Amino acid sequence: AQTVTQSQPEMSVQEAETVTLSCTYDTSENNYYLFWYKQPPSRQMILVIRQEAYKQQNATENRFSVNFQKAAKSFSLKISDSQLGDTAMYFCAFMKAGNAGNMLTFGGGTRLMVKP
Amino acid sequence: GAVVSQHPSRVICKSGTSVKIECRSLDFQATTMFWYRQFPKKSLMLMATSNEGSKATYEQGVEKDKFLINHASLTLSTLTVTSAHPEDSSFYICSASLGFADTQYFGPGTRLTVL
């Protein structure tokens, strides 16, 4: 079974600054996918970024980038130039690859507050 | 693209009644849909996985007779909470994916309150 751990229950950052959210996971799988989802106060889950484990290059999406360290089983999210709209719960999630790979395993979440 | 809708967004019902929640993929065909439950300030808890045309697979501890799931088409899955009780009050979220190893896209959620 896989586990995903987010060690920071809450974080805050000043608008326009950079913040990094941590995520570690435990798995015996070699092929898998990792995700960061954002859940703002509206509670709509929004995909932020996706990383394939076989890719060495870190995924980026505009102001969002990840630091994927496969050997360390670490998958942190960096938000640059933080904006007030980034205030949300952020969930790290794991998905196995292959025929059985469809279910998401979520971490406990990190509540991020962006302050003006 | 990849929009998933849920209806209703909020529902209040009396104890003992049944409530149906619909989940639709609006711009893609979803071979697999998922139902989650989320308690306040907590993470998502997977309840069941459903594939079109087959029976849902329930996670351990989820009562299949209480939470009936039907995935009648590639764009629609329904969750029926039967004989609802106050402890069933929660936020229910569905998601949909094209298939194996595909990204899950989430609906906006349904807040169920059982009086």
Side-chain angles (χ1 to χ4, degrees):
Chain A
Q2 285 67 230
T3 59
V4 178
T5 302
Q6 294 179 246
S7 59
Q8 306 149 315
E10 293 187 1
M11 294 190 73
S12 64
V13 63
Q14 291 295 132
E15 196 175 7
E17 293 189 346
T18 295
V19 64
T20 299
L21 309 183
S22 300
C23 173
T24 58
Y25 57 95
D26 189 25
T27 185
S28 58
E29 302 287 330
N30 190 49
N31 294 321
Y32 50 87
Y33 304 89
L34 295 164
F35 303 84
W36 279 98
Y37 282 92
K38 165 185 175 180
Q39 189 179 40
S42 67
R43 300 192 78 173
Q44 167 76 62
M45 293 284 285
I46 301 166
L47 174 68
V48 175
I49 204 162
R50 165 181 163 134
Q51 174 80 45
E52 289 81 2
Y54 64 84
K55 289 186 178 179
Q56 290 189 331
Q57 187 172 6
N58 289 324
T60 63
E61 284 290 342
N62 301 314
R63 298 182 295 108
F64 300 88
S65 62
V66 297
N67 183 2
F68 173 47
Q69 301 289 329
K70 191 173 183 180
K73 295 180 183 174
S74 170
F75 184 60
S76 62
L77 174 70
K78 185 171 83 170
I79 306 174
S80 304
D81 185 25
S82 296
Q83 300 176 359
L84 296 178
D86 295 334
T87 293
M89 278 288 284
Y90 286 82
F91 294 100
C92 178
F94 173 100
M95 178 194 288
K96 286 195 297 186
N99 285 344
N102 211 324
M103 190 184 85
L104 283 173
T105 301
F106 284 96
T110 296
R111 185 173 302 278
L112 176 67
M113 172 77 73
V114 179
K115 298 179 178 180
Chain B
V3 178
V4 177
S5 70
Q6 254 181 269
H7 178 80
S9 57
R10 290 174 178 263
V11 57
I12 300 173
C13 68
K14 292 183 179 180
S15 186
T17 61
S18 294
V19 174
K20 181 185 283 188
I21 302 170
E22 290 187 349
C23 176
R24 293 181 184 273
S25 56
L26 297 185
D27 53 1
F28 67 103
Q29 292 187 325
T31 57
T32 308
M33 288 185 168
F34 304 83
W35 288 95
Y36 296 86
R37 185 171 179 175
Q38 186 180 31
F39 292 102
K41 298 186 179 182
K42 297 292 185 183
S43 188
L44 280 70
M45 182 187 78
L46 180 66
M47 299 174 65
T49 302
S50 74
N51 292 293
E52 185 262 341
S54 61
K55 288 186 178 180
T57 302
Y58 291 82
E59 295 300 301
Q60 193 171 6
V62 177
E63 298 177 60
K64 57 182 68 177
D65 293 332
K66 180 166 190 62
F67 298 99
L68 300 178
I69 292 171
N70 183 278
H71 193 158
S73 76
L74 286 172
T75 60
L76 174 64
S77 176
T78 59
L79 168 68
T80 301
V81 183
T82 62
S83 186
H85 291 284
E87 58 266 29
D88 299 324
S89 298
S90 193
F91 193 66
Y92 293 88
I93 308 175
C94 73
S95 71
S97 73
L98 283 167
F100 295 126
D102 193 65
T103 299
Q104 288 185 30
Y105 298 95
F106 287 81
T110 296
R111 179 177 300 284
L112 171 63
T113 303
V114 184
L115 303 176

